[in-house]
Amino acid sequence: PPSARRRVCARALPGASAPPGGRTMDGFEGAPVSRLIFAGAGLATLLLPAGVKDALALDLGAVLARGEWWRLVTHHVAFDGLGSAALGMIALFRFKRFERYMGSRK
């Protein structure tokens, strides 16, 4: 039926295969890079003082004027507020699906 075609399961991605034994993967199983980034961002958010987080923040003026290109990557490492931390950690947690699909050991 047409309604069945509209429902697309995330596991039905082209090239995706079922996990061994037909069981589902929970947590970060099969996604070691995502686990490392998630843990690092969580610890950085909780443990780094505000001054260090400000030094990691994205400041386009500093990037363009002073050539601090590292800010383009490090601003994703430490979140400075509860809302941005919650949304960022959810996004990092969801990244595991992409890593499983593309593979971290190719």
Side-chain angles (χ1 to χ4, degrees):
S3 62
R5 279 186 270 151
R6 282 189 226 137
R7 286 183 255 147
V8 177
C9 178
R11 297 198 188 282
L13 293 172
S17 60
R23 63 185 180 86
T24 60
M25 298 176 128
D26 294 328
F28 288 103
E29 185 178 350
V33 176
S34 296
R35 178 186 307 144
L36 180 68
I37 294 172
F38 185 86
L43 288 173
T45 300
L46 293 174
L47 301 177
L48 289 178
V52 175
K53 289 181 189 177
D54 289 340
L56 296 175
L58 180 59
D59 180 7
L60 290 178
V63 171
L64 297 174
R66 297 190 299 263
E68 297 178 2
W69 298 102
W70 50 270
R71 288 180 181 259
L72 295 174
V73 175
T74 60
H75 79 277
H76 293 292
V77 175
F79 305 107
D80 55 352
L82 182 60
S84 64
L87 291 175
M89 297 304 276
I90 289 170
L92 288 172
F93 186 75
R94 301 291 291 174
F95 183 74
K96 67 183 178 171
R97 295 179 109 177
F98 178 73
E99 182 182 356
R100 286 182 189 148
Y101 178 69
M102 295 304 290
S104 57
R105 300 179 192 164
K106 290 202 178 213

